[in-house]
Amino acid sequence: MDTTNSLPKLLENILKSKGLNNDHLTALAEAGIQQKADFEMIGDTQTLIDITGLDEEIAHNVMLWAVGVKTQQETNTNQVNETPQQKPIVVESADVVKCVHCGTKQPKDYKTGDLCLSCGNQAEPVLNCHWCFSSGPGKFCRSCGSEFVPSADFEIALFLKREGESKNAIVKMVKEMTPQEKENMWARIRKNR
């Protein structure tokens, strides 16, 4: 017995244009689908896949035709509205120190230069300023406001200062240097010693 005959000819032709073959049409008829309104009862692509075994792309095309764009957009809108959950705002006191390596909050008796209890690195490394030669913790010099450069690049920053570069340009140049450029700069530093 050919179960595809239970589907109207127009419905068969439309479904074939959406990518279905005769086996798929048979699966739809066996699932009890006889008209377009039956797809509205099914509701979504995954349910159609579950009851008929259609491929995901074909099932999506069929449901998009049968149920319409409005329902698909409502589903996407509901997912978008559920996804962004606002994170609570945490206000911490000004004396809180967090490890620059792992972000762990340090105890109240923390002193500059102490090791982090979580990762074992220096929680707030004490760095030297390439511009005014003072030292301190954090990302910026507390004397002149210059951004600290990593300790490994300190001599390169000093060399650039002697070459006449500005305070902020030095930091930017050091960050953008490739390892090869840094090696060339070290060669110039050694030559001038």
Side-chain angles (χ1 to χ4, degrees):
M1 178 176 151
D2 190 9
T3 56
T4 59
N5 292 337
S6 65
L7 294 172
K9 189 71 174 168
L10 177 63
L11 183 60
E12 281 184 26
N13 291 335
I14 292 171
L15 292 174
K16 283 182 179 179
S17 74
K18 301 299 174 194
L20 274 73
N21 58 29
N22 289 332
D23 293 335
H24 295 142
L25 293 173
T26 303
L28 290 177
E30 288 175 357
I33 299 170
Q34 297 176 356
Q35 56 187 347
K36 184 177 178 181
D38 293 337
F39 290 105
E40 290 180 16
M41 184 181 295
I42 292 171
D44 65 358
T45 304
Q46 187 59 49
T47 305
L48 181 63
I49 293 169
D50 292 343
I51 64 172
T52 62
L54 292 176
D55 295 334
E56 185 176 349
E57 184 179 347
I58 294 172
H60 176 71
N61 290 338
V62 169
M63 289 304 291
L64 194 59
W65 163 77
V67 180
V69 176
K70 180 181 175 191
T71 303
Q72 295 292 334
Q73 287 176 341
E74 286 175 2
T75 303
N76 292 339
T77 304
N78 290 340
Q79 291 173 352
V80 168
N81 289 340
E82 293 172 5
T83 303
Q85 296 178 358
Q86 290 183 344
K87 294 182 180 178
I89 297 173
V90 178
V91 179
E92 297 176 335
S93 65
D95 63 344
V96 170
V97 176
K98 291 190 175 183
C99 176
V100 296
H101 304 287
C102 68
T104 304
K105 188 175 172 182
Q106 300 302 304
K108 289 285 184 186
D109 63 345
Y110 169 81
K111 301 280 187 266
T112 300
D114 287 352
L115 300 180
C116 175
L117 299 175
S118 181
C119 68
N121 292 322
Q122 199 174 27
E124 215 179 14
V126 177
L127 299 171
N128 293 320
C129 178
H130 66 278
W131 196 255
C132 70
F133 305 110
S134 64
S135 63
K139 294 182 179 181
F140 296 93
C141 176
R142 294 180 182 174
S143 298
C144 70
S146 175
E147 186 175 350
F148 289 129
V149 294
S151 297
D153 299 329
F154 181 73
E155 287 194 47
I156 294 174
L158 289 178
F159 183 77
L160 291 172
K161 180 181 176 186
R162 278 187 248 126
E163 294 286 310
E165 295 294 336
S166 70
K167 177 172 40 174
N168 295 329
I170 291 172
V171 175
K172 184 179 178 191
M173 289 172 69
V174 168
K175 284 181 181 179
E176 293 174 352
M177 280 185 182
T178 64
Q180 182 62 39
E181 291 173 332
K182 286 183 181 182
E183 189 60 38
N184 293 341
M185 190 66 70
W186 272 108
R188 290 177 60 195
I189 292 169
R190 287 185 206 106
K191 184 179 177 184
N192 289 333
R193 282 187 178 164

